[in-house]
Amino acid sequence: MRVSFRAAISVALLVGFYVLAFGLIAGLLALETYALIERPFVGLKFAFLVVPVVYAIGKGLLSLDRRVRAEVPGLLVTPEEQPDLWNLVRRLASEAGTRPPDEIRILAAVNAGVSEDTRFLGLRVLKRRMFIGAPLLTSLTEKQLISVLAHELGHYANKDTRLAGVVVSGRDAMLRAGSHMNTEKWFQRMIAKLFRGYAKLYLRVSQAISRRQEFAADRFSATLAGSSAAASALRELPVIDAAWDLFTERHLTVAWELGYLPTTFFDGFARLRAAPELHEELEEIRQNPHDPDRGPYDSHPPLKDRIDAIETMALEPESGWGDRPALDLLADPMPLLDAAVLDTLVADATTKERVDWATLGHIGARARVVRGTQRLLEKTAELTGKQPSLTTVLDALDAGHLADLGTHVPGDREAGARARREMARGEVLPELSALVALAFSDAGLARWELDWLGRTTFVTSSHDFDMAEHLDAAVSDHGSTAGLRTALVNAGVAPDYRPAR
C-alpha cells in the first residue's frame, strides 16, 4: 500500500475522530435535553454524568490542534553566537528543500529533533525549532552530526510532506485526546475506552507511514553524509546514550545529592567516554546496538534494520563535509554546553558548590564510606550510652563487647559466645577499617579516587599506613587496640573523631 494512500486513510480516520467526538457530544446533549423536558429530576441527576464527559471530550478535541503550552527546553543559540552551526543547518535545510528552523536550541540530552508549533493539524506551521543534544556535539564527528541533523530535516523533504505531517501530528494528538477523561468515573471510563480503541486503530494504520518516513529520512541522511557516516552515527547513538546515563547517574546525581556540582561538565564526560575501563562495554554496544522498548506503536523501525538499509545503499558523501569533531562547529563550546546542562537543572543549582572532578570523586566516594560506618557508630553509642566516635568504638572493643557490636545471629540458636564473636568480627572489621580510613583521610593523609565506573581506590600519602595488623588485633579475642590508638595519635587524629557527613 503506497504511503500517500495510507496517509489519506489516516487523515480520513482523523476526520472520523472529530465525527465520533461531535456525534457523542450531540447525542449526549440531546439525551440530556430530552431527560430535562420529560423528567426534570432524572435529567438533573443525569447532568452530573453528561456535563463532565462533554467537557472532557471538548477539551480532548481542542488538544488535537493545540500543543500544551510549556516552557521550551534547551538553550537558545543565535546565528550571531554560533554562525558555523547555523550555516550548516541552513545548508542542510536547503538540500532538503525545506525551510530552515526559526530557532536552534542546545539540550543536555542524547537527542536531536525538529518540532513545530502548528495549527490545523500540521497544515499551518507557526514556528519550527531544531533541538541538538550537547552530548552529540561532544561525541560525534562533523559528518556524523550532519547525518543526524539531515535525518531530522529529511522528514520534511518528501513531496507528500504536508499530508504525512498531518498524520504524524495526528499520532501525537490521538495520544493526548483521551488523557482528559477521569477514569475513576465509570461513565467517563467507558467513553475513554472508546476513544482509546479508535486511537489504537489510527496508530496501527499510521505506523507504516511513520516507519517509511524514517527510512526516507535515513536515505536523505546517507545521500548527504554518506552511508558510512550515517550508519556509524546510528551505531554511536546508543553508545553516547549509555555513557551519558552512566555519567549522570554515577557522577552528576551523586554530586547533586551531596550539595556539589563539577566546575565543568563536558570535560568529565569526554574523559568518561575515553576511559579504558569502559572501552570494552561501549564497544559491545557499538557493535550490537539495541533498541529501547517503546511499545507496540513505536513509529521507528528497528535500529538494526535502519543500519542495514543505509549500509546497503553504499552512498558516498557530498563534497565539502569535514571529518573534524562536531565540537569544532561551535564558538567557545564548553561554556555553552555546560550552560545547557545547568539550564536543565532546577533553580537551586546555583546554590551547589562547584569543585573539580578529582575533588568531586573524593567527596562522592567518602560519602559512601561514611554511610558504611554509621551502623557501627550508632550500635556502639547504644551499647555504651556515650557519644558515637572512633574512641567509643575502641573502648567497647577493649571492654570485650565485640560480640555485642554485631547484628548477625548464628544459624544454631545454641551456638556459644565464640560463634557470636566470629559472626560479629566479620561485620565489625570492615566497618572499623572504613572508620579508620576516614580518620586518616580527614587528617589529610589519604584520599579516595573514583574511576568513571564508580569504583573507588584508597590512596595514601603515608608509607606507614598498613593498618591491617592493628585492625586485626583490635577485633581479636584477646587482642588490644593499643597499636591502633598509637597510629591514630601519630597521624594527628582527634581522640573523639567522628566523620562529618
Side-chain angles (χ1 to χ4, degrees):
M1 187 181 291
R2 293 179 61 229
V3 172
S4 57
F5 184 54
R6 279 187 175 270
I9 294 176
S10 298
V11 173
L13 285 172
L14 196 55
V15 173
F17 189 87
Y18 277 101
V19 173
L20 174 64
F22 281 119
L24 280 171
I25 291 174
L28 288 171
L29 290 178
L31 190 60
E32 173 63 21
T33 302
Y34 177 80
L36 286 171
I37 293 172
E38 296 297 324
R39 303 185 65 180
F41 182 69
V42 174
L44 286 174
K45 289 198 297 183
F46 189 51
F48 285 101
L49 294 176
V50 171
V51 172
V53 172
V54 170
Y55 174 77
I57 295 174
K59 195 171 182 180
L61 286 171
L62 289 175
S63 76
L64 285 174
D65 196 42
R66 180 184 300 167
R67 294 185 179 273
V68 177
R69 291 189 178 274
E71 185 177 350
V72 180
L75 198 65
L76 180 67
V77 293
T78 66
E80 292 74 26
E81 293 169 338
Q82 299 297 335
D84 289 349
L85 180 63
W86 268 95
N87 289 339
L88 173 65
V89 171
R90 284 168 173 162
R91 178 180 170 184
L92 293 176
S94 176
E95 294 279 358
T98 187
R99 59 179 277 190
D102 302 295
E103 293 181 357
I104 295 178
R105 290 177 173 267
I106 308 299
L107 295 168
V110 185
N111 192 22
V114 176
S115 73
E116 294 181 332
D117 291 340
T118 63
R119 290 293 180 268
F120 308 116
L121 297 175
L123 291 173
R124 181 187 174 197
V125 179
L126 304 180
K127 179 175 283 191
R128 180 178 288 181
R129 297 183 180 92
M130 171 168 276
F131 299 92
I132 305 174
L136 303 183
L137 289 163
T138 63
S139 306
L140 298 177
T141 66
E142 184 177 356
K143 279 185 184 176
Q144 288 173 329
L145 181 67
I146 286 167
S147 75
V148 170
L149 301 185
H151 173 92
E152 299 305 326
L153 291 167
H155 284 299
Y156 303 90
N158 298 323
K159 297 297 182 182
D160 58 348
T161 292
R162 275 302 107 203
L163 191 58
V166 173
V167 173
V168 175
S169 298
R171 286 178 64 89
D172 295 338
M174 284 285 184
L175 295 173
R176 295 195 303 271
S179 63
H180 304 288
M181 297 287 180
N182 182 355
T183 54
E184 293 180 2
K185 305 291 185 180
W186 70 269
F187 193 56
Q188 292 196 47
R189 186 162 60 247
M190 297 300 294
I191 300 295
K193 283 184 178 179
L194 176 63
F195 277 106
R196 280 198 295 269
Y198 195 98
K200 286 180 180 179
L201 173 63
Y202 179 86
L203 293 173
R204 286 291 189 190
V205 172
S206 64
Q207 185 182 51
I209 300 169
S210 297
R211 292 199 167 194
R212 288 201 181 197
Q213 281 187 308
E214 291 299 324
F215 281 121
D218 283 342
R219 171 174 286 278
F220 175 69
S221 167
T223 300
L224 290 188
S227 291
S228 177
S232 67
L234 287 183
R235 291 185 183 279
E236 201 65 25
L237 292 179
V239 177
I240 302 170
D241 195 36
W244 185 251
D245 284 345
L246 181 67
F247 180 69
T248 54
E249 291 172 10
R250 297 195 187 177
H251 298 280
L252 290 188
T253 300
V254 172
W256 178 274
E257 291 172 350
L258 295 173
Y260 295 88
L261 282 175
T263 307
T264 58
F265 294 99
F266 278 94
D267 63 331
F269 182 58
R271 286 156 56 192
L272 179 145
R273 279 180 46 80
E277 60 267 28
L278 281 172
H279 175 76
E280 185 175 342
E281 180 181 344
L282 295 182
E283 186 60 28
E284 171 64 23
I285 296 172
R286 184 177 290 111
Q287 297 305 320
N288 300 285
H290 296 291
D291 290 292
D293 183 7
R294 300 188 184 96
Y297 305 108
D298 181 23
S299 62
H300 286 72
L303 188 60
K304 185 178 184 303
D305 292 353
R306 294 174 63 192
I307 293 172
D308 290 344
I310 287 172
E311 290 179 335
T312 301
M313 296 176 200
L315 296 171
E316 293 298 321
E318 287 192 358
S319 61
W321 306 126
D323 287 317
R324 59 180 176 168
L327 201 61
D328 290 352
L329 288 165
L330 299 179
D332 198 14
M334 288 308 175
L336 169 64
L337 301 182
D338 285 352
V341 175
L342 287 174
D343 183 68
T344 65
L345 302 176
V346 294
D348 63 345
T350 55
T351 67
K352 306 295 181 181
E353 184 176 346
R354 308 293 291 272
V355 295
D356 60 69
W357 278 105
T359 302
L360 189 61
H362 168 74
I363 290 171
R366 182 188 178 280
R368 288 201 290 270
V369 177
V370 168
R371 287 194 292 270
T373 64
Q374 293 307 303
R375 189 209 67 84
L376 178 61
L377 288 167
E378 291 169 2
K379 184 74 173 179
T380 305
E382 177 187 337
L383 180 67
T384 64
K386 298 178 181 178
Q387 289 295 316
S389 69
L390 177 54
T391 298
T392 306
V393 174
L394 298 181
D395 288 344
L397 291 171
D398 282 340
H401 292 304
L402 172 64
D404 301 319
L405 294 178
T407 58
H408 296 298
V409 177
D412 184 358
R413 292 181 178 275
E414 302 301 322
R418 180 179 180 81
R420 291 181 62 234
R421 287 197 303 272
E422 286 300 321
M423 295 292 290
R425 183 177 291 110
E427 189 174 7
V428 172
L429 180 57
E431 294 176 337
L432 178 61
S433 299
L435 190 56
V436 170
L438 284 167
F440 272 76
S441 170
D442 289 352
L445 299 175
R447 64 183 288 110
W448 280 273
E449 292 181 353
L450 185 70
D451 72 10
W452 294 107
L453 276 174
R455 301 173 301 190
T456 58
T457 303
F458 189 62
V459 180
T460 174
S461 59
S462 171
H463 296 295
D464 301 322
F465 188 72
D466 188 2
M467 295 286 107
E469 184 178 343
H470 297 320
L471 291 166
D472 286 340
V475 298
S476 62
D477 286 344
H478 303 290
S480 167
T481 65
L484 185 55
R485 291 177 191 263
T486 299
L488 292 168
V489 170
N490 292 338
V493 176
D496 59 347
Y497 171 76
R498 180 185 180 183
R501 296 199 183 196

mmCIF file of all heavy atoms in Angstrom, residues 302-337:
data_model
loop_
_atom_site.group_PDB
_atom_site.id
_atom_site.type_symbol
_atom_site.label_atom_id
_atom_site.label_comp_id
_atom_site.label_asym_id
_atom_site.label_seq_id
_atom_site.Cartn_x
_atom_site.Cartn_y
_atom_site.Cartn_z
ATOM 1 N N PRO A 302 13.211 -0.955 13.628
ATOM 2 C CA PRO A 302 14.343 -1.432 14.442
ATOM 3 C C PRO A 302 15.656 -0.798 13.969
ATOM 4 O O PRO A 302 15.882 -0.641 12.764
ATOM 5 C CB PRO A 302 14.338 -2.944 14.219
ATOM 6 C CG PRO A 302 12.911 -3.260 13.878
ATOM 7 C CD PRO A 302 12.417 -2.074 13.099
ATOM 8 N N LEU A 303 16.502 -0.448 14.922
ATOM 9 C CA LEU A 303 17.753 0.237 14.602
ATOM 10 C C LEU A 303 18.617 -0.602 13.671
ATOM 11 O O LEU A 303 19.244 -0.084 12.744
ATOM 12 C CB LEU A 303 18.499 0.558 15.903
ATOM 13 C CG LEU A 303 19.736 1.437 15.783
ATOM 14 C CD1 LEU A 303 19.383 2.792 15.190
ATOM 15 C CD2 LEU A 303 20.383 1.623 17.165
ATOM 16 N N LYS A 304 18.664 -1.911 13.898
ATOM 17 C CA LYS A 304 19.483 -2.776 13.042
ATOM 18 C C LYS A 304 18.998 -2.725 11.601
ATOM 19 O O LYS A 304 19.810 -2.711 10.665
ATOM 20 C CB LYS A 304 19.441 -4.212 13.568
ATOM 21 C CG LYS A 304 20.367 -5.163 12.804
ATOM 22 C CD LYS A 304 20.328 -6.560 13.389
ATOM 23 C CE LYS A 304 21.337 -7.463 12.676
ATOM 24 N NZ LYS A 304 21.121 -7.522 11.232
ATOM 25 N N ASP A 305 17.672 -2.712 11.406
ATOM 26 C CA ASP A 305 17.142 -2.644 10.038
ATOM 27 C C ASP A 305 17.526 -1.328 9.363
ATOM 28 O O ASP A 305 17.838 -1.305 8.159
ATOM 29 C CB ASP A 305 15.616 -2.770 10.068
ATOM 30 C CG ASP A 305 15.157 -4.153 10.496
ATOM 31 O OD1 ASP A 305 16.020 -5.043 10.630
ATOM 32 O OD2 ASP A 305 13.943 -4.336 10.713
ATOM 33 N N ARG A 306 17.517 -0.257 10.123
ATOM 34 C CA ARG A 306 17.897 1.043 9.564
ATOM 35 C C ARG A 306 19.372 1.050 9.168
ATOM 36 O O ARG A 306 19.747 1.544 8.100
ATOM 37 C CB ARG A 306 17.610 2.153 10.566
ATOM 38 C CG ARG A 306 16.135 2.364 10.859
ATOM 39 C CD ARG A 306 15.932 3.368 11.956
ATOM 40 N NE ARG A 306 16.439 4.684 11.579
ATOM 41 C CZ ARG A 306 16.603 5.695 12.436
ATOM 42 N NH1 ARG A 306 16.318 5.529 13.719
ATOM 43 N NH2 ARG A 306 17.071 6.846 12.007
ATOM 44 N N ILE A 307 20.226 0.506 10.042
ATOM 45 C CA ILE A 307 21.664 0.470 9.742
ATOM 46 C C ILE A 307 21.935 -0.389 8.511
ATOM 47 O O ILE A 307 22.708 -0.015 7.619
ATOM 48 C CB ILE A 307 22.445 -0.048 10.964
ATOM 49 C CG1 ILE A 307 22.370 0.960 12.113
ATOM 50 C CG2 ILE A 307 23.901 -0.318 10.594
ATOM 51 C CD1 ILE A 307 22.952 0.462 13.412
ATOM 52 N N ASP A 308 21.286 -1.570 8.456
ATOM 53 C CA ASP A 308 21.485 -2.465 7.302
ATOM 54 C C ASP A 308 21.054 -1.780 6.004
ATOM 55 O O ASP A 308 21.735 -1.888 4.974
ATOM 56 C CB ASP A 308 20.695 -3.757 7.495
ATOM 57 C CG ASP A 308 21.271 -4.643 8.591
ATOM 58 O OD1 ASP A 308 22.433 -4.402 8.980
ATOM 59 O OD2 ASP A 308 20.573 -5.557 9.052
ATOM 60 N N ALA A 309 19.921 -1.069 6.056
ATOM 61 C CA ALA A 309 19.423 -0.396 4.848
ATOM 62 C C ALA A 309 20.386 0.693 4.393
ATOM 63 O O ALA A 309 20.647 0.851 3.193
ATOM 64 C CB ALA A 309 18.036 0.189 5.123
ATOM 65 N N ILE A 310 20.933 1.436 5.331
ATOM 66 C CA ILE A 310 21.871 2.514 4.994
ATOM 67 C C ILE A 310 23.147 1.944 4.406
ATOM 68 O O ILE A 310 23.668 2.445 3.392
ATOM 69 C CB ILE A 310 22.169 3.356 6.240
ATOM 70 C CG1 ILE A 310 20.960 4.222 6.603
ATOM 71 C CG2 ILE A 310 23.389 4.255 6.017
ATOM 72 C CD1 ILE A 310 21.090 4.942 7.923
ATOM 73 N N GLU A 311 23.679 0.883 5.015
ATOM 74 C CA GLU A 311 24.927 0.293 4.527
ATOM 75 C C GLU A 311 24.737 -0.337 3.147
ATOM 76 O O GLU A 311 25.666 -0.338 2.321
ATOM 77 C CB GLU A 311 25.437 -0.726 5.534
ATOM 78 C CG GLU A 311 25.956 -0.089 6.819
ATOM 79 C CD GLU A 311 26.448 -1.093 7.833
ATOM 80 O OE1 GLU A 311 25.988 -2.251 7.805
ATOM 81 O OE2 GLU A 311 27.290 -0.717 8.670
ATOM 82 N N THR A 312 23.545 -0.874 2.872
ATOM 83 C CA THR A 312 23.275 -1.464 1.560
ATOM 84 C C THR A 312 23.297 -0.413 0.456
ATOM 85 O O THR A 312 23.684 -0.695 -0.688
ATOM 86 C CB THR A 312 21.907 -2.179 1.580
ATOM 87 O OG1 THR A 312 21.929 -3.202 2.586
ATOM 88 C CG2 THR A 312 21.583 -2.793 0.239
ATOM 89 N N MET A 313 22.918 0.822 0.781
ATOM 90 C CA MET A 313 22.928 1.898 -0.229
ATOM 91 C C MET A 313 24.344 2.192 -0.725
ATOM 92 O O MET A 313 24.531 2.550 -1.889
ATOM 93 C CB MET A 313 22.350 3.184 0.376
ATOM 94 C CG MET A 313 20.902 3.100 0.771
ATOM 95 S SD MET A 313 20.391 4.653 1.566
ATOM 96 C CE MET A 313 18.928 4.131 2.456
ATOM 97 N N ALA A 314 25.322 2.070 0.162
ATOM 98 C CA ALA A 314 26.733 2.321 -0.197
ATOM 99 C C ALA A 314 26.924 3.658 -0.895
ATOM 100 O O ALA A 314 27.593 3.759 -1.926
ATOM 101 C CB ALA A 314 27.266 1.180 -1.065
ATOM 102 N N LEU A 315 26.334 4.716 -0.316
ATOM 103 C CA LEU A 315 26.405 6.046 -0.910
ATOM 104 C C LEU A 315 27.646 6.784 -0.438
ATOM 105 O O LEU A 315 28.058 6.674 0.731
ATOM 106 C CB LEU A 315 25.158 6.848 -0.539
ATOM 107 C CG LEU A 315 23.824 6.300 -1.072
ATOM 108 C CD1 LEU A 315 22.654 7.054 -0.458
ATOM 109 C CD2 LEU A 315 23.788 6.399 -2.596
ATOM 110 N N GLU A 316 28.240 7.559 -1.336
ATOM 111 C CA GLU A 316 29.372 8.402 -0.990
ATOM 112 C C GLU A 316 28.865 9.767 -0.526
ATOM 113 O O GLU A 316 27.830 10.247 -1.013
ATOM 114 C CB GLU A 316 30.307 8.578 -2.189
ATOM 115 C CG GLU A 316 31.017 7.296 -2.599
ATOM 116 C CD GLU A 316 31.917 6.766 -1.499
ATOM 117 O OE1 GLU A 316 32.566 7.596 -0.815
ATOM 118 O OE2 GLU A 316 31.955 5.528 -1.315
ATOM 119 N N PRO A 317 29.593 10.410 0.382
ATOM 120 C CA PRO A 317 29.136 11.717 0.872
ATOM 121 C C PRO A 317 29.296 12.807 -0.166
ATOM 122 O O PRO A 317 30.127 12.700 -1.075
ATOM 123 C CB PRO A 317 30.045 11.979 2.074
ATOM 124 C CG PRO A 317 31.295 11.213 1.773
ATOM 125 C CD PRO A 317 30.838 9.977 1.050
ATOM 126 N N GLU A 318 28.474 13.827 -0.052
ATOM 127 C CA GLU A 318 28.676 15.015 -0.873
ATOM 128 C C GLU A 318 29.985 15.679 -0.479
ATOM 129 O O GLU A 318 30.437 15.581 0.661
ATOM 130 C CB GLU A 318 27.511 15.995 -0.681
ATOM 131 C CG GLU A 318 26.224 15.564 -1.327
ATOM 132 C CD GLU A 318 25.206 16.691 -1.354
ATOM 133 O OE1 GLU A 318 25.508 17.784 -0.833
ATOM 134 O OE2 GLU A 318 24.107 16.473 -1.893
ATOM 135 N N SER A 319 30.600 16.359 -1.412
ATOM 136 C CA SER A 319 31.872 17.015 -1.117
ATOM 137 C C SER A 319 31.656 18.228 -0.224
ATOM 138 O O SER A 319 30.578 18.830 -0.210
ATOM 139 C CB SER A 319 32.548 17.453 -2.427
ATOM 140 O OG SER A 319 31.714 18.376 -3.118
ATOM 141 N N GLY A 320 32.688 18.556 0.531
ATOM 142 C CA GLY A 320 32.623 19.763 1.343
ATOM 143 C C GLY A 320 32.388 19.511 2.818
ATOM 144 O O GLY A 320 32.499 20.428 3.632
ATOM 145 N N TRP A 321 32.031 18.258 3.183
ATOM 146 C CA TRP A 321 31.839 17.964 4.598
ATOM 147 C C TRP A 321 33.165 17.546 5.226
ATOM 148 O O TRP A 321 33.939 16.800 4.637
ATOM 149 C CB TRP A 321 30.826 16.837 4.794
ATOM 150 C CG TRP A 321 29.493 17.021 4.140
ATOM 151 C CD1 TRP A 321 28.879 16.153 3.287
ATOM 152 C CD2 TRP A 321 28.585 18.114 4.298
ATOM 153 N NE1 TRP A 321 27.667 16.630 2.890
ATOM 154 C CE2 TRP A 321 27.447 17.837 3.501
ATOM 155 C CE3 TRP A 321 28.619 19.300 5.017
ATOM 156 C CZ2 TRP A 321 26.364 18.700 3.413
ATOM 157 C CZ3 TRP A 321 27.539 20.162 4.930
ATOM 158 C CH2 TRP A 321 26.427 19.869 4.148
ATOM 159 N N GLY A 322 33.396 17.976 6.444
ATOM 160 C CA GLY A 322 34.655 17.673 7.107
ATOM 161 C C GLY A 322 34.556 16.480 8.034
ATOM 162 O O GLY A 322 33.472 16.023 8.388
ATOM 163 N N ASP A 323 35.724 15.937 8.413
ATOM 164 C CA ASP A 323 35.801 14.829 9.359
ATOM 165 C C ASP A 323 36.258 15.296 10.741
ATOM 166 O O ASP A 323 36.584 14.479 11.594
ATOM 167 C CB ASP A 323 36.781 13.759 8.847
ATOM 168 C CG ASP A 323 36.193 12.972 7.685
ATOM 169 O OD1 ASP A 323 35.001 12.614 7.773
ATOM 170 O OD2 ASP A 323 36.922 12.720 6.714
ATOM 171 N N ARG A 324 36.274 16.606 10.958
ATOM 172 C CA ARG A 324 36.699 17.123 12.252
ATOM 173 C C ARG A 324 35.641 16.812 13.315
ATOM 174 O O ARG A 324 34.502 16.457 12.986
ATOM 175 C CB ARG A 324 36.904 18.636 12.155
ATOM 176 C CG ARG A 324 35.644 19.388 11.731
ATOM 177 C CD ARG A 324 35.855 20.881 11.645
ATOM 178 N NE ARG A 324 34.656 21.568 11.150
ATOM 179 C CZ ARG A 324 34.481 22.884 11.199
ATOM 180 N NH1 ARG A 324 35.437 23.651 11.713
ATOM 181 N NH2 ARG A 324 33.380 23.424 10.727
ATOM 182 N N PRO A 325 35.986 16.950 14.582
ATOM 183 C CA PRO A 325 34.971 16.771 15.632
ATOM 184 C C PRO A 325 33.837 17.782 15.454
ATOM 185 O O PRO A 325 34.072 18.936 15.090
ATOM 186 C CB PRO A 325 35.747 17.031 16.925
ATOM 187 C CG PRO A 325 37.179 16.788 16.575
ATOM 188 C CD PRO A 325 37.328 17.185 15.138
ATOM 189 N N ALA A 326 32.622 17.355 15.731
ATOM 190 C CA ALA A 326 31.468 18.253 15.612
ATOM 191 C C ALA A 326 31.605 19.449 16.538
ATOM 192 O O ALA A 326 31.064 20.521 16.262
ATOM 193 C CB ALA A 326 30.184 17.485 15.914
ATOM 194 N N LEU A 327 32.342 19.272 17.610
ATOM 195 C CA LEU A 327 32.531 20.351 18.581
ATOM 196 C C LEU A 327 33.187 21.569 17.952
ATOM 197 O O LEU A 327 32.983 22.705 18.402
ATOM 198 C CB LEU A 327 33.385 19.834 19.754
ATOM 199 C CG LEU A 327 33.301 20.584 21.076
ATOM 200 C CD1 LEU A 327 31.882 20.557 21.616
ATOM 201 C CD2 LEU A 327 34.257 19.973 22.086
ATOM 202 N N ASP A 328 33.955 21.331 16.880
ATOM 203 C CA ASP A 328 34.644 22.446 16.222
ATOM 204 C C ASP A 328 33.680 23.390 15.507
ATOM 205 O O ASP A 328 34.083 24.480 15.091
ATOM 206 C CB ASP A 328 35.669 21.909 15.215
ATOM 207 C CG ASP A 328 36.859 21.249 15.900
ATOM 208 O OD1 ASP A 328 36.954 21.358 17.142
ATOM 209 O OD2 ASP A 328 37.668 20.611 15.206
ATOM 210 N N LEU A 329 32.434 22.981 15.360
ATOM 211 C CA LEU A 329 31.444 23.867 14.750
ATOM 212 C C LEU A 329 31.037 25.006 15.685
ATOM 213 O O LEU A 329 30.464 26.007 15.240
ATOM 214 C CB LEU A 329 30.184 23.073 14.377
ATOM 215 C CG LEU A 329 30.302 22.113 13.186
ATOM 216 C CD1 LEU A 329 29.130 21.148 13.182
ATOM 217 C CD2 LEU A 329 30.370 22.903 11.890
ATOM 218 N N LEU A 330 31.314 24.840 16.964
ATOM 219 C CA LEU A 330 30.860 25.810 17.962
ATOM 220 C C LEU A 330 31.968 26.790 18.311
ATOM 221 O O LEU A 330 33.139 26.413 18.409
ATOM 222 C CB LEU A 330 30.400 25.102 19.233
ATOM 223 C CG LEU A 330 29.231 24.133 19.086
ATOM 224 C CD1 LEU A 330 28.917 23.493 20.432
ATOM 225 C CD2 LEU A 330 28.002 24.832 18.526
ATOM 226 N N ALA A 331 31.585 28.026 18.518
ATOM 227 C CA ALA A 331 32.499 29.033 19.039
ATOM 228 C C ALA A 331 32.466 28.966 20.561
ATOM 229 O O ALA A 331 31.388 29.028 21.159
ATOM 230 C CB ALA A 331 32.072 30.417 18.554
ATOM 231 N N ASP A 332 33.654 28.801 21.183
ATOM 232 C CA ASP A 332 33.769 28.711 22.648
ATOM 233 C C ASP A 332 32.767 27.687 23.192
ATOM 234 O O ASP A 332 31.843 28.034 23.936
ATOM 235 C CB ASP A 332 33.521 30.089 23.270
ATOM 236 C CG ASP A 332 34.038 30.165 24.705
ATOM 237 O OD1 ASP A 332 34.803 29.273 25.116
ATOM 238 O OD2 ASP A 332 33.651 31.111 25.417
ATOM 239 N N PRO A 333 32.940 26.402 22.833
ATOM 240 C CA PRO A 333 31.879 25.417 23.076
ATOM 241 C C PRO A 333 31.610 25.068 24.536
ATOM 242 O O PRO A 333 30.453 24.894 24.920
ATOM 243 C CB PRO A 333 32.374 24.184 22.313
ATOM 244 C CG PRO A 333 33.853 24.352 22.225
ATOM 245 C CD PRO A 333 34.091 25.821 22.118
ATOM 246 N N MET A 334 32.664 24.919 25.368
ATOM 247 C CA MET A 334 32.452 24.368 26.703
ATOM 248 C C MET A 334 31.529 25.209 27.581
ATOM 249 O O MET A 334 30.639 24.674 28.246
ATOM 250 C CB MET A 334 33.796 24.118 27.399
ATOM 251 C CG MET A 334 34.545 22.932 26.811
ATOM 252 S SD MET A 334 33.491 21.434 26.731
ATOM 253 C CE MET A 334 34.572 20.305 25.879
ATOM 254 N N PRO A 335 31.687 26.537 27.627
ATOM 255 C CA PRO A 335 30.721 27.314 28.419
ATOM 256 C C PRO A 335 29.284 27.150 27.926
ATOM 257 O O PRO A 335 28.352 27.087 28.731
ATOM 258 C CB PRO A 335 31.211 28.760 28.237
ATOM 259 C CG PRO A 335 32.662 28.636 27.941
ATOM 260 C CD PRO A 335 32.785 27.385 27.126
ATOM 261 N N LEU A 336 29.103 27.062 26.607
ATOM 262 C CA LEU A 336 27.766 26.881 26.051
ATOM 263 C C LEU A 336 27.178 25.538 26.472
ATOM 264 O O LEU A 336 26.029 25.460 26.927
ATOM 265 C CB LEU A 336 27.822 26.968 24.527
ATOM 266 C CG LEU A 336 26.547 26.535 23.778
ATOM 267 C CD1 LEU A 336 25.388 27.458 24.122
ATOM 268 C CD2 LEU A 336 26.801 26.499 22.279
ATOM 269 N N LEU A 337 27.960 24.461 26.331
ATOM 270 C CA LEU A 337 27.447 23.136 26.653
ATOM 271 C C LEU A 337 27.195 22.983 28.149
ATOM 272 O O LEU A 337 26.205 22.361 28.559
ATOM 273 C CB LEU A 337 28.424 22.068 26.161
ATOM 274 C CG LEU A 337 28.707 22.086 24.648
ATOM 275 C CD1 LEU A 337 29.651 20.963 24.271
ATOM 276 C CD2 LEU A 337 27.419 21.976 23.852
#
